[in-house]
Amino acid sequence: QVQLVESGGGLVQAGGSLRLSCAASGRTSSSYAMGWFRQAPGKEREFVAHIRRSGGSTYYADSVKGRFTISRDNAKNTVYLQMNSLKPEDTAVYYCTAGGGIIAGDVRKPGRYDYWGQGTQVTVSS
């Protein structure tokens, strides 16, 4: 059992940066791979980034590669998403997620994750 709480969202202008945090409680987050998804109004939830338990391997959606960086600090039970060069198309609610036994190739599938946070709003203006 894991509880996830996101923070760090807000309003920024295009080209700006934000750093999202996801604090985990309950079972240690080091037991799980973790990721970020986002959902814009009227759209399906889409994959953003994923990081393995050890933090040694990461995966990114093509739309954010080179701009976003996912990292984790298992000693703090926290995962981060550094977002640079933000675009209006990045506007969405961002969700932190955790899961066990996720096979490579399934990291982009939201149904493969076990726990979800409540989400944090990111709004990027033109």
Side-chain angles (χ1 to χ4, degrees), residues 38-46 88-95 121:
R38 66 188 183 186
Q39 188 165 22
K43 296 184 178 181
E44 294 185 343
R45 189 166 298 188
E46 67 172 344
E89 306 91 89
D90 296 318
T91 295
V93 176
Y94 283 70
Y95 296 91
Q121 177 71 47

Side-chain angles (χ1 to χ4, degrees), residues 68-99:
F68 291 9
T69 302
I70 187 172
S71 62
R72 68 190 300 164
D73 186 341
N74 287 339
K76 296 181 179 294
N77 267 356
T78 302
V79 64
Y80 305 94
L81 185 68
Q82 178 66 47
M83 305 186 294
N84 298 327
S85 301
L86 283 162
K87 305 175 180 179
E89 306 91 89
D90 296 318
T91 295
V93 176
Y94 283 70
Y95 296 91
C96 178
T97 187

Side-chain angles (χ1 to χ4, degrees), residues 2-123:
V2 175
Q3 293 80 46
L4 305 172
V5 179
E6 303 96 333
S7 62
L11 293 84
V12 297
Q13 292 191 358
S17 298
L18 282 175
R19 189 193 194 199
L20 306 184
S21 298
C22 175
S25 61
R27 183 76 68 88
T28 176
S29 62
S30 64
S31 298
Y32 299 92
M34 301 189 72
W36 291 91
F37 285 72
R38 66 188 183 186
Q39 188 165 22
K43 296 184 178 181
E44 294 185 343
R45 189 166 298 188
E46 67 172 344
F47 170 78
V48 176
H50 172 101
I51 188 166
R52 296 294 184 90
R53 298 175 185 177
S54 66
S57 298
T58 57
Y59 302 80
Y60 296 95
D62 289 342
S63 59
V64 307
K65 190 173 296 183
R67 299 188 297 122
F68 291 9
T69 302
I70 187 172
S71 62
R72 68 190 300 164
D73 186 341
N74 287 339
K76 296 181 179 294
N77 267 356
T78 302
V79 64
Y80 305 94
L81 185 68
Q82 178 66 47
M83 305 186 294
N84 298 327
S85 301
L86 283 162
K87 305 175 180 179
E89 306 91 89
D90 296 318
T91 295
V93 176
Y94 283 70
Y95 296 91
C96 178
T97 187
I102 301 175
I103 306 300
D106 284 352
V107 299
R108 292 171 170 78
K109 301 177 181 178
R112 297 301 299 156
Y113 295 81
D114 302 311
Y115 306 100
W116 295 85
Q118 85 291 341
T120 185
Q121 177 71 47
V122 172
T123 302

